[in-house]
Amino acid sequence: MWHETNNKLHRAFEFKDFSEAFSFMTRVALLAEKNNHHPTWTNTYNKVEIWLNTHDAGDVVTDKDRDLAKGIDKFV
């Protein structure tokens, strides 16, 4: 579930292993590029964390972030 704090949407994901996590990140990367909206994220082995906000809007959460989050949710 996404949580909005400090002007960012955040969600942590956990997968079976690194390959599954990396596959998820690849799908997210392609979606983000298609939408020209790129997340801040980290990956450690099977864990991925993503933070979304819109830099052009002053680093706040916008509908652009919420739409990307909905798209990301379809991959899990």
Short mmCIF file of all heavy atoms in Angstrom, two decimals, residues 26-71:
data_model
loop_
_atom_site.label_atom_id
_atom_site.label_comp_id
_atom_site.label_asym_id
_atom_site.label_seq_id
_atom_site.Cartn_x
_atom_site.Cartn_y
_atom_site.Cartn_z
N THR A 26 12.49 -3.62 -13.87
CA THR A 26 12.55 -3.41 -15.32
C THR A 26 11.19 -2.99 -15.86
O THR A 26 11.09 -2.06 -16.67
CB THR A 26 13.04 -4.70 -16.02
OG1 THR A 26 14.33 -5.02 -15.51
CG2 THR A 26 13.10 -4.53 -17.52
N ARG A 27 10.14 -3.66 -15.41
CA ARG A 27 8.79 -3.29 -15.85
C ARG A 27 8.45 -1.88 -15.40
O ARG A 27 7.89 -1.09 -16.17
CB ARG A 27 7.77 -4.30 -15.33
CG ARG A 27 7.90 -5.67 -15.99
CD ARG A 27 6.75 -6.61 -15.66
NE ARG A 27 6.55 -6.84 -14.25
CZ ARG A 27 7.14 -7.79 -13.53
NH1 ARG A 27 8.01 -8.59 -14.10
NH2 ARG A 27 6.88 -7.93 -12.26
N VAL A 28 8.80 -1.53 -14.16
CA VAL A 28 8.53 -0.18 -13.67
C VAL A 28 9.33 0.85 -14.47
O VAL A 28 8.81 1.91 -14.82
CB VAL A 28 8.86 -0.08 -12.16
CG1 VAL A 28 8.80 1.37 -11.69
CG2 VAL A 28 7.89 -0.94 -11.35
N ALA A 29 10.58 0.53 -14.78
CA ALA A 29 11.42 1.46 -15.55
C ALA A 29 10.80 1.75 -16.92
O ALA A 29 10.78 2.91 -17.36
CB ALA A 29 12.82 0.89 -15.69
N LEU A 30 10.31 0.73 -17.59
CA LEU A 30 9.69 0.93 -18.90
C LEU A 30 8.42 1.76 -18.79
O LEU A 30 8.17 2.64 -19.63
CB LEU A 30 9.41 -0.42 -19.56
CG LEU A 30 10.66 -1.22 -19.94
CD1 LEU A 30 10.28 -2.63 -20.38
CD2 LEU A 30 11.47 -0.50 -21.00
N LEU A 31 7.62 1.51 -17.78
CA LEU A 31 6.41 2.30 -17.55
C LEU A 31 6.76 3.75 -17.23
O LEU A 31 6.15 4.68 -17.76
CB LEU A 31 5.59 1.69 -16.40
CG LEU A 31 4.33 2.44 -16.01
CD1 LEU A 31 3.31 2.44 -17.15
CD2 LEU A 31 3.72 1.84 -14.74
N ALA A 32 7.74 3.95 -16.38
CA ALA A 32 8.15 5.31 -16.00
C ALA A 32 8.66 6.08 -17.22
O ALA A 32 8.33 7.25 -17.42
CB ALA A 32 9.23 5.25 -14.92
N GLU A 33 9.45 5.42 -18.05
CA GLU A 33 9.98 6.07 -19.26
C GLU A 33 8.86 6.43 -20.21
O GLU A 33 8.83 7.53 -20.77
CB GLU A 33 11.00 5.15 -19.94
CG GLU A 33 11.69 5.78 -21.10
CD GLU A 33 12.57 6.97 -20.75
OE1 GLU A 33 12.94 7.16 -19.58
OE2 GLU A 33 12.90 7.73 -21.69
N LYS A 34 7.90 5.52 -20.37
CA LYS A 34 6.74 5.78 -21.24
C LYS A 34 5.97 7.01 -20.77
O LYS A 34 5.46 7.77 -21.57
CB LYS A 34 5.84 4.54 -21.26
CG LYS A 34 4.61 4.68 -22.11
CD LYS A 34 3.77 3.42 -22.07
CE LYS A 34 2.49 3.62 -22.86
NZ LYS A 34 1.62 2.45 -22.75
N ASN A 35 5.89 7.18 -19.45
CA ASN A 35 5.15 8.30 -18.87
C ASN A 35 6.02 9.52 -18.60
O ASN A 35 5.53 10.52 -18.07
CB ASN A 35 4.46 7.86 -17.57
CG ASN A 35 3.30 6.94 -17.86
OD1 ASN A 35 2.25 7.39 -18.30
ND2 ASN A 35 3.48 5.64 -17.64
N ASN A 36 7.31 9.42 -18.93
CA ASN A 36 8.27 10.49 -18.67
C ASN A 36 8.16 10.97 -17.21
O ASN A 36 8.09 12.17 -16.92
CB ASN A 36 8.08 11.66 -19.64
CG ASN A 36 9.24 12.62 -19.59
OD1 ASN A 36 10.38 12.23 -19.33
ND2 ASN A 36 8.97 13.88 -19.83
N HIS A 37 8.11 10.00 -16.32
CA HIS A 37 7.98 10.29 -14.89
C HIS A 37 8.78 9.24 -14.13
O HIS A 37 8.37 8.09 -14.05
CB HIS A 37 6.51 10.29 -14.49
CG HIS A 37 6.26 10.86 -13.13
ND1 HIS A 37 6.71 12.09 -12.76
CD2 HIS A 37 5.60 10.36 -12.07
CE1 HIS A 37 6.34 12.34 -11.51
NE2 HIS A 37 5.67 11.29 -11.07
N HIS A 38 9.90 9.64 -13.59
CA HIS A 38 10.87 8.68 -13.09
C HIS A 38 10.94 8.69 -11.56
O HIS A 38 11.09 9.74 -10.95
CB HIS A 38 12.24 8.98 -13.71
CG HIS A 38 12.14 9.00 -15.20
ND1 HIS A 38 11.96 10.18 -15.91
CD2 HIS A 38 12.15 8.00 -16.11
CE1 HIS A 38 11.87 9.89 -17.20
NE2 HIS A 38 11.99 8.58 -17.35
N PRO A 39 10.88 7.51 -10.94
CA PRO A 39 10.85 7.41 -9.49
C PRO A 39 12.25 7.51 -8.87
O PRO A 39 13.26 7.31 -9.54
CB PRO A 39 10.28 6.01 -9.24
CG PRO A 39 10.76 5.22 -10.41
CD PRO A 39 10.72 6.18 -11.57
N THR A 40 12.24 7.78 -7.60
CA THR A 40 13.42 7.56 -6.77
C THR A 40 13.21 6.18 -6.16
O THR A 40 12.12 5.87 -5.68
CB THR A 40 13.51 8.61 -5.65
OG1 THR A 40 13.61 9.90 -6.26
CG2 THR A 40 14.69 8.36 -4.74
N TRP A 41 14.25 5.33 -6.24
CA TRP A 41 14.07 3.98 -5.71
C TRP A 41 15.37 3.37 -5.25
O TRP A 41 16.44 3.86 -5.56
CB TRP A 41 13.37 3.07 -6.70
CG TRP A 41 14.01 2.87 -8.05
CD1 TRP A 41 15.23 3.31 -8.47
CD2 TRP A 41 13.44 2.19 -9.15
NE1 TRP A 41 15.46 2.92 -9.77
CE2 TRP A 41 14.37 2.24 -10.21
CE3 TRP A 41 12.25 1.53 -9.35
CZ2 TRP A 41 14.12 1.65 -11.45
CZ3 TRP A 41 12.02 0.95 -10.58
CH2 TRP A 41 12.93 1.02 -11.61
N THR A 42 15.20 2.32 -4.44
CA THR A 42 16.35 1.55 -3.98
C THR A 42 16.03 0.07 -4.16
O THR A 42 14.87 -0.33 -4.19
CB THR A 42 16.69 1.80 -2.50
OG1 THR A 42 15.58 1.40 -1.69
CG2 THR A 42 17.03 3.25 -2.23
N ASN A 43 17.09 -0.71 -4.26
CA ASN A 43 16.95 -2.16 -4.35
C ASN A 43 18.07 -2.80 -3.55
O ASN A 43 19.23 -2.47 -3.73
CB ASN A 43 17.03 -2.62 -5.81
CG ASN A 43 17.24 -4.12 -5.93
OD1 ASN A 43 18.26 -4.54 -6.46
ND2 ASN A 43 16.31 -4.90 -5.45
N THR A 44 17.70 -3.69 -2.65
CA THR A 44 18.65 -4.53 -1.94
C THR A 44 18.12 -5.96 -1.99
O THR A 44 17.05 -6.25 -1.45
CB THR A 44 18.80 -4.09 -0.46
OG1 THR A 44 19.17 -2.72 -0.44
CG2 THR A 44 19.85 -4.93 0.25
N TYR A 45 18.83 -6.79 -2.73
CA TYR A 45 18.47 -8.19 -2.96
C TYR A 45 17.02 -8.33 -3.41
O TYR A 45 16.71 -8.06 -4.56
CB TYR A 45 18.80 -9.07 -1.75
CG TYR A 45 18.49 -10.53 -2.00
CD1 TYR A 45 19.11 -11.23 -3.03
CD2 TYR A 45 17.54 -11.20 -1.24
CE1 TYR A 45 18.80 -12.56 -3.30
CE2 TYR A 45 17.23 -12.53 -1.50
CZ TYR A 45 17.86 -13.21 -2.52
OH TYR A 45 17.55 -14.52 -2.77
N ASN A 46 16.10 -8.72 -2.54
CA ASN A 46 14.71 -8.96 -2.94
C ASN A 46 13.77 -7.83 -2.53
O ASN A 46 12.56 -7.96 -2.64
CB ASN A 46 14.20 -10.29 -2.36
CG ASN A 46 14.05 -10.25 -0.86
OD1 ASN A 46 14.76 -9.50 -0.18
ND2 ASN A 46 13.15 -11.05 -0.33
N LYS A 47 14.31 -6.73 -2.08
CA LYS A 47 13.49 -5.60 -1.62
C LYS A 47 13.67 -4.40 -2.54
O LYS A 47 14.77 -4.06 -2.94
CB LYS A 47 13.88 -5.23 -0.20
CG LYS A 47 13.55 -6.34 0.79
CD LYS A 47 13.92 -5.96 2.19
CE LYS A 47 13.44 -7.04 3.12
NZ LYS A 47 14.46 -7.87 3.65
N VAL A 48 12.54 -3.77 -2.86
CA VAL A 48 12.53 -2.55 -3.67
C VAL A 48 11.68 -1.52 -2.93
O VAL A 48 10.58 -1.84 -2.48
CB VAL A 48 11.93 -2.82 -5.07
CG1 VAL A 48 11.85 -1.52 -5.87
CG2 VAL A 48 12.74 -3.87 -5.82
N GLU A 49 12.20 -0.31 -2.81
CA GLU A 49 11.42 0.80 -2.26
C GLU A 49 11.33 1.87 -3.32
O GLU A 49 12.30 2.15 -4.02
CB GLU A 49 12.06 1.37 -1.00
CG GLU A 49 11.89 0.48 0.21
CD GLU A 49 12.30 1.19 1.48
OE1 GLU A 49 11.57 2.10 1.91
OE2 GLU A 49 13.36 0.82 2.02
N ILE A 50 10.14 2.47 -3.44
CA ILE A 50 9.90 3.51 -4.44
C ILE A 50 9.29 4.73 -3.77
O ILE A 50 8.39 4.61 -2.93
CB ILE A 50 8.96 3.00 -5.55
CG1 ILE A 50 9.56 1.79 -6.26
CG2 ILE A 50 8.64 4.11 -6.54
CD1 ILE A 50 8.66 1.16 -7.31
N TRP A 51 9.79 5.90 -4.17
CA TRP A 51 9.25 7.19 -3.74
C TRP A 51 8.87 7.96 -4.99
O TRP A 51 9.64 8.03 -5.95
CB TRP A 51 10.28 8.00 -2.97
CG TRP A 51 10.68 7.39 -1.67
CD1 TRP A 51 10.15 7.67 -0.43
CD2 TRP A 51 11.71 6.43 -1.43
NE1 TRP A 51 10.78 6.92 0.52
CE2 TRP A 51 11.74 6.15 -0.07
CE3 TRP A 51 12.61 5.76 -2.27
CZ2 TRP A 51 12.64 5.25 0.50
CZ3 TRP A 51 13.50 4.86 -1.73
CH2 TRP A 51 13.50 4.61 -0.35
N LEU A 52 7.68 8.54 -4.99
CA LEU A 52 7.19 9.31 -6.13
C LEU A 52 6.81 10.72 -5.69
O LEU A 52 6.13 10.90 -4.66
CB LEU A 52 5.95 8.65 -6.74
CG LEU A 52 6.09 7.23 -7.26
CD1 LEU A 52 4.72 6.68 -7.64
CD2 LEU A 52 7.03 7.19 -8.45
N ASN A 53 7.26 11.71 -6.43
CA ASN A 53 6.73 13.06 -6.36
C ASN A 53 7.07 13.76 -7.67
O ASN A 53 7.84 13.25 -8.47
CB ASN A 53 7.19 13.83 -5.12
CG ASN A 53 8.67 14.15 -5.10
OD1 ASN A 53 9.41 13.86 -6.04
ND2 ASN A 53 9.12 14.74 -4.03
N THR A 54 6.45 14.89 -7.91
CA THR A 54 6.61 15.58 -9.19
C THR A 54 7.53 16.77 -9.00
O THR A 54 7.17 17.75 -8.35
CB THR A 54 5.25 16.02 -9.74
OG1 THR A 54 4.41 14.86 -9.87
CG2 THR A 54 5.38 16.69 -11.10
N HIS A 55 8.73 16.67 -9.57
CA HIS A 55 9.74 17.71 -9.42
C HIS A 55 9.27 19.02 -10.05
O HIS A 55 9.48 20.09 -9.47
CB HIS A 55 11.06 17.25 -10.02
CG HIS A 55 11.53 15.94 -9.47
ND1 HIS A 55 11.94 15.79 -8.17
CD2 HIS A 55 11.61 14.72 -10.04
CE1 HIS A 55 12.28 14.52 -7.96
NE2 HIS A 55 12.08 13.85 -9.08
N ASP A 56 8.62 18.93 -11.23
CA ASP A 56 8.18 20.13 -11.94
C ASP A 56 7.09 20.90 -11.19
O ASP A 56 6.85 22.06 -11.48
CB ASP A 56 7.66 19.78 -13.33
CG ASP A 56 8.74 19.22 -14.23
OD1 ASP A 56 9.94 19.35 -13.91
OD2 ASP A 56 8.38 18.62 -15.27
N ALA A 57 6.43 20.24 -10.25
CA ALA A 57 5.35 20.88 -9.48
C ALA A 57 5.84 21.33 -8.11
O ALA A 57 5.05 21.66 -7.24
CB ALA A 57 4.17 19.92 -9.33
N GLY A 58 7.16 21.32 -7.91
CA GLY A 58 7.70 21.75 -6.62
C GLY A 58 7.93 20.62 -5.65
O GLY A 58 7.86 20.82 -4.44
N ASP A 59 8.18 19.42 -6.17
CA ASP A 59 8.45 18.25 -5.32
C ASP A 59 7.30 17.93 -4.39
O ASP A 59 7.49 17.72 -3.19
CB ASP A 59 9.76 18.43 -4.55
CG ASP A 59 10.97 18.41 -5.46
OD1 ASP A 59 10.95 17.64 -6.44
OD2 ASP A 59 11.92 19.16 -5.20
N VAL A 60 6.11 17.89 -4.95
CA VAL A 60 4.92 17.48 -4.20
C VAL A 60 4.25 16.33 -4.94
O VAL A 60 4.56 16.05 -6.09
CB VAL A 60 3.92 18.65 -4.01
CG1 VAL A 60 4.54 19.76 -3.17
CG2 VAL A 60 3.44 19.18 -5.34
N VAL A 61 3.32 15.68 -4.29
CA VAL A 61 2.57 14.57 -4.89
C VAL A 61 1.45 15.15 -5.75
O VAL A 61 0.69 16.00 -5.30
CB VAL A 61 2.00 13.64 -3.80
CG1 VAL A 61 1.14 12.55 -4.43
CG2 VAL A 61 3.13 13.03 -2.98
N THR A 62 1.39 14.67 -6.99
CA THR A 62 0.35 15.12 -7.92
C THR A 62 -0.36 13.90 -8.51
O THR A 62 0.01 12.75 -8.23
CB THR A 62 0.97 15.94 -9.08
OG1 THR A 62 1.78 15.06 -9.87
CG2 THR A 62 1.78 17.12 -8.57
N ASP A 63 -1.35 14.16 -9.35
CA ASP A 63 -2.06 13.07 -10.02
C ASP A 63 -1.11 12.24 -10.88
O ASP A 63 -1.32 11.05 -11.07
CB ASP A 63 -3.20 13.60 -10.87
CG ASP A 63 -4.38 14.08 -10.04
OD1 ASP A 63 -4.49 13.66 -8.85
OD2 ASP A 63 -5.21 14.85 -10.56
N LYS A 64 -0.07 12.87 -11.39
CA LYS A 64 0.93 12.14 -12.17
C LYS A 64 1.56 11.03 -11.33
O LYS A 64 1.78 9.92 -11.82
CB LYS A 64 2.00 13.14 -12.65
CG LYS A 64 2.88 12.63 -13.74
CD LYS A 64 3.75 13.77 -14.28
CE LYS A 64 4.57 13.31 -15.45
NZ LYS A 64 5.40 14.35 -16.02
N ASP A 65 1.84 11.32 -10.07
CA ASP A 65 2.40 10.31 -9.16
C ASP A 65 1.38 9.23 -8.84
O ASP A 65 1.72 8.05 -8.84
CB ASP A 65 2.87 10.99 -7.86
CG ASP A 65 3.85 12.09 -8.14
OD1 ASP A 65 4.94 11.80 -8.66
OD2 ASP A 65 3.51 13.26 -7.87
N ARG A 66 0.17 9.65 -8.57
CA ARG A 66 -0.87 8.67 -8.23
C ARG A 66 -1.15 7.73 -9.41
O ARG A 66 -1.35 6.53 -9.23
CB ARG A 66 -2.13 9.39 -7.79
CG ARG A 66 -1.97 10.06 -6.43
CD ARG A 66 -3.26 10.76 -5.96
NE ARG A 66 -3.01 11.46 -4.73
CZ ARG A 66 -2.61 12.73 -4.64
NH1 ARG A 66 -2.41 13.43 -5.75
NH2 ARG A 66 -2.40 13.30 -3.47
N ASP A 67 -1.13 8.29 -10.62
CA ASP A 67 -1.35 7.46 -11.81
C ASP A 67 -0.21 6.46 -12.00
O ASP A 67 -0.46 5.29 -12.32
CB ASP A 67 -1.48 8.34 -13.05
CG ASP A 67 -2.78 9.14 -13.07
OD1 ASP A 67 -3.72 8.81 -12.32
OD2 ASP A 67 -2.85 10.12 -13.86
N LEU A 68 1.03 6.91 -11.80
CA LEU A 68 2.16 5.99 -11.93
C LEU A 68 2.09 4.91 -10.85
O LEU A 68 2.35 3.74 -11.12
CB LEU A 68 3.49 6.74 -11.86
CG LEU A 68 4.75 5.90 -12.09
CD1 LEU A 68 4.70 5.16 -13.42
CD2 LEU A 68 5.99 6.78 -12.00
N ALA A 69 1.72 5.28 -9.64
CA ALA A 69 1.59 4.30 -8.56
C ALA A 69 0.56 3.23 -8.92
O ALA A 69 0.79 2.04 -8.69
CB ALA A 69 1.21 5.01 -7.26
N LYS A 70 -0.56 3.65 -9.50
CA LYS A 70 -1.58 2.67 -9.92
C LYS A 70 -1.03 1.73 -10.98
O LYS A 70 -1.31 0.53 -10.97
CB LYS A 70 -2.81 3.39 -10.45
CG LYS A 70 -3.64 4.05 -9.38
CD LYS A 70 -4.82 4.78 -9.97
CE LYS A 70 -5.52 5.62 -8.93
NZ LYS A 70 -6.57 6.48 -9.51
N GLY A 71 -0.24 2.27 -11.89
CA GLY A 71 0.38 1.43 -12.92
C GLY A 71 1.37 0.45 -12.32
O GLY A 71 1.42 -0.72 -12.71
#
